[in-house]
Structures are given as C-alpha cells and as structure tokens.
Amino acid sequence: MSTEPDEQGAIALLDSRQIAFPPTHQAHPSGLLAVGGSLSPNWLLAAYQHGIFPWFNDDQPILWWSPNPRCVIFPDQLHISRSLSKLLRRKLFRLTFNTAFEQVIDACRAPRVQQDSPGSWITDNMRQAYIRLHQLKLVHSIEVWQDDDLVGGLYGLSLGRVFFAESMFHRASNASKVALVYLAGQLCSWGCSLIDCQVTSPHLLSLGAIELPRHEFECYLQAGLVLPPFKDPWILSWNPVH
C-alpha cells in the first residue's frame, strides 16, 4: 500500500504484493519516488516502462528513483574525441555482445579506485535480478576484450527501441568508452531512439550525454517503447569509420 506524498514530496511505501508506482512527478526533489516493492521481473519491467529504476545499498530497502533532469544519450549524437577516434582506429580491442554477462556485472559491482559511479549499489539481490532479466533476453552486455582478457564493458536493459544503460567498467584505459561507442553505433544502426543514462556524470557529458526535463524524457521514452524490439540474438556488425 502506498502513502500519498505531501507537499514536500513524502516518499511512497510500496506493497510487494501489488505493482503500483506513484506518478513520477510526485518524486522527492532528490529523485527518490518510492520505497519497497520487489526486484521480480514484473516489478522491474513496470518500473522501467515508466522511467523508474532501483538504486540502493545493502543496508537499505529497495529504493526507486525518477530523477529530474534525466541524463540521456541520443545514439547518433555520441561525441567521439580525437584521441578516442585514434584509439578506435588502432583496433586494440575485440567487442562482443552477451558472451560474458555475469563477468560484466561482477566487474561493474567490484570496488573501484576512482569511483565515478560506485559499483557497490549492485547488491546480491540486484545481481540476481538482472541475471534473471538477461536469461529472459531483456538485459544485455557488451564486452571489450584484449586478447582473451575482459578489460571493459557495460550492461543494460532493452525495451522497445530504448536502451537503459545500468553500469560500466574498465580494466584498460578507455575500454568502457570503447564499449559505449560500439553499443551506441550498433543501436543507432538498429533504429534506437534513446540511451537512458539515468544520472549525470562528467564522464557521460564528455561523451555527448545531455540532460532532459523529466516530462520531456518520458515523452521520448514512451515513443521508443511502442516501437518493435531489437531482434535477437544481438550480433555486433557496426564498425566505427572516422
């Protein structure tokens, strides 16, 4: 059962027996919308379809967020710097889709020396929830390899023609950027309308991410959700040309 927010934006408390998110415009100014619920596939899909995502630590209940503004990347507007372009031309890496999902999510949740976006929020329950969505072919990973070593990657949820980027990692310089470049290029070739990046960071802004007001983001989201989903299996065929 959810509580009605007051004028200051009191947070709704959710009953795990019934999927019922409050309207996103009722979110607290911090972006926090609701507490409780479940990480089952039905709950997660209902959340993402409304631009809501879970984000919490081990010592917290499930927290659901709808930040305003929203950080997004339009795939055809990804910014590739001169140095990154040179790196791509050197072809130091091999890229794949969905060949090492559990390795990618485990690398994303591992402690980081420079925590631009900490991995600790990927709790055991969160990990299992997204593995389940991967098994349902709704969550995908892109892997960056150097010889036989996994050196970078990212994962996220795909609904309609929208990709919801969750987390990325790198073990070699710029490997996560390479993952995003290839992902955006491939998604663009498939007619992807939007990559949701959730929360703004300097790293994302340097790659061409922009901020949209919540209501504008939700318009793009709903337009993308009604489009046919990307075909399975995901096969990487895009190559950068610079």
Side-chain angles (χ1 to χ4, degrees):
M1 182 182 302
S2 56
T3 59
E4 290 297 324
D6 61 22
E7 294 181 355
Q8 286 73 43
I11 305 305
L13 303 177
L14 304 181
D15 186 334
S16 62
R17 296 169 295 181
Q18 181 180 7
I19 301 173
F21 289 102
T24 55
H25 68 81
Q26 293 180 352
H28 187 270
S30 66
L32 182 59
L33 177 67
V35 177
S38 165
L39 292 178
S40 70
N42 287 341
W43 269 88
L44 288 168
L45 293 179
Y48 281 95
Q49 288 167 357
H50 291 89
I52 302 164
F53 60 89
W55 186 24
F56 58 96
N57 294 322
D58 266 323
D59 58 349
Q60 296 175 314
I62 300 173
L63 305 178
W64 301 94
W65 299 80
S66 174
N68 185 28
R70 189 69 163 237
C71 183
V72 305
I73 291 176
F74 293 105
D76 60 349
Q77 297 177 21
L78 188 75
H79 173 68
I80 302 176
S81 67
R82 183 174 300 178
S83 60
L84 182 55
S85 179
K86 289 180 179 178
L87 177 64
L88 293 169
R89 287 199 298 270
R90 293 175 64 191
K91 297 187 181 298
L92 299 177
F93 305 112
R94 176 172 58 90
L95 281 291
T96 58
F97 277 133
N98 295 322
T99 64
F101 180 80
E102 291 191 30
Q103 288 177 255
V104 169
I105 196 171
D106 286 344
C108 288
R109 74 197 294 250
R112 308 182 191 188
V113 176
Q114 295 179 338
Q115 298 222 337
D116 202 15
S117 60
S120 61
W121 62 269
I122 306 175
T123 65
D124 289 342
N125 288 339
M126 188 84 85
R127 177 183 184 275
Q128 290 304 315
Y130 284 89
I131 288 175
R132 177 60 179 144
L133 289 178
H134 175 66
Q135 293 167 344
L136 294 172
K137 300 183 178 181
L138 295 169
V139 165
H140 303 272
S141 61
I142 183 167
E143 301 90 18
V144 183
W145 305 89
Q146 200 160 34
D147 297 323
D148 293 326
D149 296 326
L150 182 66
V151 296
L154 64 85
Y155 75 95
L157 181 79
S158 175
L159 293 175
R161 295 290 173 90
V162 178
F163 187 84
F164 304 83
E166 284 297 311
S167 188
M168 61 173 62
F169 80 98
H170 70 275
R171 294 170 179 157
S173 181
N174 292 309
S176 60
K177 291 183 179 180
V178 171
L180 183 57
V181 168
Y182 272 82
L183 175 68
Q186 187 66 65
L187 292 178
C188 187
S189 74
W190 290 341
C192 177
S193 58
L194 189 71
I195 297 176
D196 173 31
C197 300
Q198 300 176 347
V199 180
T200 306
S201 72
H203 173 70
L204 291 169
L205 293 175
S206 73
L207 290 166
I210 63 171
E211 292 184 329
L212 294 179
R214 181 192 289 123
H215 69 88
E216 189 173 343
F217 161 74
E218 290 175 349
C219 288
Y220 280 108
L221 172 61
Q222 295 307 315
L225 290 177
V226 299
L227 297 175
F230 307 121
K231 292 182 179 180
D232 192 75
W234 283 30
I235 298 173
L236 188 62
S237 59
W238 181 84
N239 281 301
V241 178
H242 302 288

